[in-house]
């Protein structure tokens, strides 16, 4: 589970209310199921429930829980759809050891097999359940030692807390790649995925680093790394609760924009062969025969997801040499589309609940098409209806304007394309490895953009204080990204932004270009760079203010535009992943400068579940 909320408590208070309040504050991290485990009268008591936290509260309330030590979890499913038995905490065969976990156990299948060969019996479909069974396997009376041996067996990412009936006064936690903090109160101690869970009890925290294991008892906190004690710095938190849920960011949108490097790393986790020879998409069960019989690919979605689909058309036609149609779902479902058993339908949706997209999926299936969904929500209607699902693992996206979901949808399309391309023998081995190496660089390059362009874009966005209209232009993949850039600006700053294929302006829209009107010109595609520059010259001839977006090292573009946004260089095929980030930031700052409600823009909803 890549983005969940976990809490742990040991102290003098009753643990249940502390755990529930902590989980409530972490629900923005995941809210499809929840659970807690506490030690009461020497026994481990487990309560879990599918659905939002109030479902669990409904199950618990009324029972007089006496325990002073416990762990809790609110889930964002990745392995195993939301259900009571897939909810955390998970336990071992004896029911005496309980574990909550945030992250992904990449080698869980091989560990599960090994544990089953050693007599362990599994209850859930999750990757996490191998953890309590590993602790049970290694436990010889020393819980810390058993947890150390558990993590030595695990490959992947984790923030995990272990509670054992045999050690009622102890909590042990381990961290690698996923966030985990320790809260230090007066005679009470906390574990949490994030500050909001504990900020009402203490403002003193320790941040656990990768590879560290922490042991909490009523006496205090001990932290170890590679078996040796570690001195930890105590930090003082000054934020208020609301700010804390946004991780200290003023809005969920800018928080989610800054989560993109992590989201890119997560969607690539376990999906690229260690030797970069190919893509491992176990979740796509298409046979070689079925792949060989694909005559057409239909991509169907709405809004931002549809824009990801347009990038998909360019990428899949180029790499697979199979015709690709991209449709807005509300049009697709009523235009009697030419879809049959030789059509692979790719459905894209962040929420997995958009009504038009769901109906389009059913339409395609009814016509015999095989459906692969690229979605962010496990167990969503679209995930359940599709034949195969590529999850984007972006974590909950709270802001209405989609950002990290879009960028992971692009990665989903690249991974699916490379998977099909390998099966069809359409991508030479050298090219495959080169693309995969560049894909791997994207998280760091995205971080570079966030680190280096923030001020420039904040300043640049002020231009939209004077202008109610603007234009985005580009050719090829740049045109596809221009569509998304203009939607971002439109939906959160209410500036009337239009995107055009750069070569199309002279067929009418050029009439709208007036002196100083801002125009964003995307220029990352070398094969049409000169053509785009000549279109920019047409626009400049009408004295517009042109802002170019180009790869670092492009010395030419500066001669044709008024300002340039330089992004790190990658393969032109992968450029959309980096090009969109400054456009998201520009839209964000324009919305802030214009005093708009960034996270909940007027007239819009995060998931459109009506036609
Ligand atoms: C994008 O910022 C909007 N929130 C909207 O266009 C969205 O992309 C569209 O409603 C599709 O939603 P989905 O991805 O959840 O299906």
């Amino acid at each position: 589970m890549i983005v969940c909320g976990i809490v742990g408590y040991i102290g003098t208070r009753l643990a249940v209310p502390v755990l529930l309040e902590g989980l409530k504050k972490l629900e923005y991290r995941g809210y499809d199921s929840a659970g807690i485990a506490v030690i009461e009268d020497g026994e481990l008591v487990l309560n879990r429930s599918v659905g939002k936290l109030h479902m669990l509260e409904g199950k618990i309330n009324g029972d007089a829980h006496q325990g002073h030590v416990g762990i809790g979890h609110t889930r964002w499913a990745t392995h195993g759809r939301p259900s009571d038995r897939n909810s955390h905490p998970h336990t071992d065969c004896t029911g005496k050891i309980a574990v909550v976990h945030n992250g992904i156990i990449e080698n869980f299948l091989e560990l599960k097999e090994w544990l089953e060969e050693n007599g362990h019996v599994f209850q859930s479909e999750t990757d996490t359940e191998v953890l309590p069974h590993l602790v049970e396997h290694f436990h010889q009376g020393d819980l810390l030692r058993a947890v150390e041996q558990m993590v030595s067996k695990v490959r992947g990412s984790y923030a995990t807390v272990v509670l054992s009936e045999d050690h009622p006064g102890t909590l042990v936690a381990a961290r690698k790649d996923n966030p985990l903090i320790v809260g230090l109160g007066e005679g009470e101690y906390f574990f949490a995925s994030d500050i909001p869970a504990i900020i009402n009890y203490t403002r003193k925290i320790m941040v656990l680093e990768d590879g560290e294991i922490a042991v909490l008892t009523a006496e205090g906190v001990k932290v170890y790394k590679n078996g040796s004690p570690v001195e930890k710095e105590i930090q003082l938190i000054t934020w208020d609760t609301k700010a804390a849920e946004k991780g200290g960011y003023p809005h969920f949108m800018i928080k989610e924009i800054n989560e993109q490097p992590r989201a890119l790393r997560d969607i690539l986790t376990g999906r690229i062969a260690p030797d970069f020879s190919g893509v491992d998409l176990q979740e796509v069960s298409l046979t070689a025969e079925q792949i060989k019989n694909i005559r057409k690919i239909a991509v169907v979605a709405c809004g931002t997801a549809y824009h990801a689909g347009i990038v998909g058309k360019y990428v899949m036609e180029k790499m697979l040499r199979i015709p690709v149609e991209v449709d807005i779902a509300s049009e697709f479902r009523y235009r009697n589309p030419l879809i049959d058993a030789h059509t692979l339908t790719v459905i894209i949706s962040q929420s997995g609940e958009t009504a038009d997209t769901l109906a389009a999926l059913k339409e395609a299936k009814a016509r015999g098409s095989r459906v692969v969904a690229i979605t962010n929500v496990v167990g969503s209607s679209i995930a359940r209806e599709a034949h195969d699902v590529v999850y984007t693992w972006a974590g909950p996206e709270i802001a209405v304007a989609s950002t990290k979901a879009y960028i992971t949808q692009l990665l989903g399309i690249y991974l699916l394309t490379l998977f099909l391309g390998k099966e069809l023998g359409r991508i030479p081995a050298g090219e495959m490895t080169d693309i995969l190496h560049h894909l791997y660089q994207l998280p760091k390059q995205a971080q570079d953009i966030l680190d280096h362009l923030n001020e420039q874009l904040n300043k640049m966005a002020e231009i939209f204080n004077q202008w109610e209209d603007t234009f985005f232009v580009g050719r090829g993949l740049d045109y596809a990204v221009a569509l998304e850039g203009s939607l971002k600006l439109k939906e959160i700053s209410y500036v009337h932004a239009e995107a055009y294929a750069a070569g199309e302006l002279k067929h009418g829209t050029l009439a709208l270009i007036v002196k100083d009107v801002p125009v964003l010109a995307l220029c990352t595609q070398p094969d049409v760079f000169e053509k785009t520059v000549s279109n920019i010259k047409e626009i400049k001839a009408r004295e517009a203010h042109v802002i170019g977006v180009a790869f670092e090292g492009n010395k030419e573009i500066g001669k044709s535009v008024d300002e340039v946004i330089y992004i790190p260089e990658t393969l032109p095929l992968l450029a959309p992943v980096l090009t969109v980030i400054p456009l998201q930031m520009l839209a964000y700052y324009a919305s802030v400068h214009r005093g708009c409600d960034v996270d909940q823009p007027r007239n819009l909803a995060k998931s459109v579940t009506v036609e």
Side-chain angles (χ1 to χ4, degrees):
M1 316 321 129
I2 281 194
V3 178
C4 303
I6 59 179
V7 286
Y9 175 75
I10 186 159
T12 52
R13 301 168 200 259
L14 291 179
V16 170
V18 176
L19 296 172
L20 289 177
E21 190 191 320
L23 291 178
K24 209 168 284 163
K25 293 284 172 50
L26 294 178
E27 239 189 334
Y28 66 90
R29 297 175 63 86
Y31 39 73
D32 61 40
S33 49
I36 61 171
V38 291
I39 303 281
E40 290 195 1
D41 307 327
E43 269 194 37
L44 186 83
V45 179
L46 198 65
N47 277 288
R48 306 185 294 177
S49 171
V50 68
K52 290 221 164 174
L53 195 61
H54 62 78
M55 305 287 283
L56 177 67
E57 286 175 308
K59 262 191 179 175
I60 291 172
N61 283 344
D63 304 353
H65 292 275
Q66 295 311 316
H68 298 283
V69 57
I71 55 177
H73 185 273
T74 180
R75 185 172 188 234
W76 178 263
T78 52
H79 289 70
R81 68 180 57 172
S83 65
D84 284 1
R85 73 191 179 97
N86 286 337
S87 310
H88 296 213
H90 288 285
T91 57
D92 67 321
C93 298
T94 67
K96 287 178 149 191
I97 298 168
V99 170
V100 290
H101 166 234
N102 174 14
I104 276 198
I105 310 299
E106 284 174 30
N107 59 338
F108 83 98
L109 284 174
E110 105 209 20
L111 288 170
K112 191 172 179 178
E113 233 168 79
W114 175 69
L115 286 160
E116 282 172 336
E117 278 156 18
N118 284 279
H120 290 261
V121 179
F122 282 73
Q123 308 296 334
S124 78
E125 302 160 315
T126 68
D127 55 333
T128 296
E129 195 187 343
V130 293
L131 302 180
H133 289 285
L134 284 169
V135 175
E136 176 191 4
H137 185 85
F138 292 115
H139 188 237
Q140 307 289 335
D142 177 341
L143 190 57
L144 170 61
R145 185 76 197 104
V147 173
E148 283 171 345
Q149 289 171 292
M150 170 191 88
V151 292
S152 71
K153 280 277 182 193
V154 166
R155 230 187 21 256
S157 63
Y158 50 82
T160 182
V161 186
V162 180
L163 173 65
S164 162
E165 206 173 276
D166 298 338
H167 305 269
T170 306
L171 287 177
V172 180
R175 183 239 150 126
K176 177 178 167 294
D177 293 345
N178 283 69
L180 195 62
I181 60 174
V182 177
L184 298 96
E186 301 307 320
E188 55 182 2
Y189 302 92
F190 309 78
F191 279 125
S193 301
D194 203 347
I195 290 163
I198 58 169
I199 200 164
N200 286 344
Y201 301 98
T202 178
R203 289 179 173 276
K204 286 199 289 180
I205 68 160
M206 287 176 181
V207 177
L208 291 183
E209 301 301 335
D210 281 356
E212 289 181 345
I213 295 182
V215 179
L216 257 58
T217 65
E219 284 69 53
V221 184
K222 290 203 175 75
V223 180
Y224 303 86
K225 186 154 189 177
N226 306 327
S228 323
V230 177
E231 274 313 306
K232 294 291 293 177
E233 180 211 346
I234 296 177
Q235 296 173 27
L236 207 58
I237 300 297
T238 53
W239 300 335
D240 66 36
T241 309
K242 203 83 198 107
E245 277 169 14
K246 294 183 185 123
Y249 291 97
H251 300 98
F252 279 111
M253 184 181 177
I254 192 68
K255 174 177 178 270
E256 288 157 7
I257 287 174
N258 281 280
E259 284 176 347
Q260 295 186 110
R262 191 261 317 144
L264 289 170
R265 263 193 304 279
D266 285 347
I267 190 173
L268 291 172
T269 301
R271 287 171 160 164
I272 294 188
D275 61 358
F276 290 81
S277 63
V279 164
D280 178 358
L281 276 188
Q282 289 164 17
E283 57 265 58
V284 176
S285 60
L286 284 164
T287 62
E289 187 61 24
Q290 286 170 321
I291 293 174
K292 218 166 61 268
N293 290 332
I294 297 172
R295 298 278 173 282
K296 177 165 77 175
I297 297 175
V299 181
V300 188
C302 298
T304 285
Y306 166 71
H307 293 153
I310 295 179
V311 170
K313 174 180 173 65
Y314 285 93
V315 168
M316 287 196 263
E317 287 195 346
K318 177 179 168 58
M319 305 302 290
L320 304 177
R321 307 315 292 150
I322 294 175
V324 177
E325 284 175 4
V326 188
D327 267 280
I328 293 167
S330 53
E331 287 299 310
F332 176 89
R333 56 186 295 198
Y334 295 114
R335 75 172 180 82
N336 192 10
L338 297 170
I339 299 283
D340 61 23
H342 291 292
T343 308
L344 174 69
T345 300
V346 178
I347 291 285
I348 309 177
S349 173
Q350 187 285 126
S351 61
E353 301 298 347
T354 300
D356 282 319
T357 310
L358 179 58
L361 185 163
K362 292 178 179 163
E363 192 64 35
K365 273 175 78 175
R367 291 161 189 262
S369 174
R370 184 91 193 173
V371 176
V372 175
I374 297 178
T375 187
N376 196 37
V377 180
V378 172
S380 59
S381 308
I382 283 174
R384 287 202 302 276
E385 277 291 330
H387 294 109
D388 298 302
V389 186
V390 176
Y391 286 116
T392 52
W393 290 335
E397 192 175 65
I398 309 291
V400 167
S402 183
T403 52
K404 61 178 181 174
Y406 170 77
I407 225 171
T408 54
Q409 285 160 2
L410 294 183
L411 267 281
I413 287 164
Y414 289 124
L415 291 169
L416 182 61
T417 304
L418 296 173
F419 170 78
L420 296 172
K422 175 113 184 200
E423 288 296 325
L424 292 164
R426 303 262 162 88
I427 305 176
E431 188 180 352
M432 174 69 81
T433 305
D434 185 37
I435 295 172
L436 292 174
H437 274 296
H438 280 86
L439 268 178
Y440 234 68
Q441 299 310 315
L442 291 174
K444 175 166 179 330
Q445 294 179 310
Q447 191 61 56
D448 291 346
I449 292 172
L450 296 167
D451 295 343
H452 303 126
L453 297 186
N454 205 36
E455 261 152 65
Q456 178 194 8
L457 294 164
N458 189 348
K459 188 99 194 69
M460 195 180 265
E462 288 169 4
I463 195 169
F464 297 113
N465 293 346
Q466 286 94 41
W467 287 91
E468 296 303 321
D469 303 285
T470 187
F471 302 86
F472 288 68
V473 299
R475 284 175 175 257
L477 283 170
D478 284 333
Y479 168 52
V481 179
L483 288 163
E484 177 54 13
S486 72
L487 176 63
K488 285 284 101 55
L489 189 62
K490 256 186 293 218
E491 68 178 318
I492 62 170
S493 75
Y494 317 143
V495 170
H496 186 191
E498 283 307 335
Y500 289 91
E504 183 61 10
L505 256 76
K506 54 185 170 296
H507 301 288
T509 312
L510 204 55
L512 295 178
I513 302 295
V514 295
K515 184 171 172 11
D516 297 334
V517 68
V519 175
L520 275 290
L522 313 189
C523 314
T524 68
Q525 304 297 306
D527 54 353
V528 286
F529 178 72
E530 273 160 26
K531 300 290 179 208
T532 308
V533 168
S534 59
N535 297 133
I536 291 172
K537 290 203 162 63
E538 292 159 8
I539 297 167
K540 279 305 297 173
R542 280 80 190 173
E543 303 181 82
H545 179 81
V546 180
I547 301 167
V549 181
F551 287 145
E552 283 155 6
N554 179 325
K555 300 207 173 18
E556 286 307 305
I557 186 66
K559 300 175 189 146
S560 309
V561 299
D562 300 284
E563 302 178 74
V564 186
I565 300 170
Y566 283 109
I567 58 173
E569 182 160 12
T570 184
L571 296 176
L573 183 78
L574 304 179
V577 177
L578 299 180
T579 315
V580 75
I581 300 175
L583 304 184
Q584 295 166 342
M585 296 165 80
L586 208 56
Y588 169 74
Y589 285 117
S591 178
V592 171
H593 294 324
R594 291 164 63 93
C596 304
D597 183 339
V598 173
D599 286 339
Q600 293 177 339
R602 68 189 184 204
N603 310 341
L604 299 180
K606 181 61 186 170
S607 179
V608 184
T609 52
V610 292
E611 251 200 76

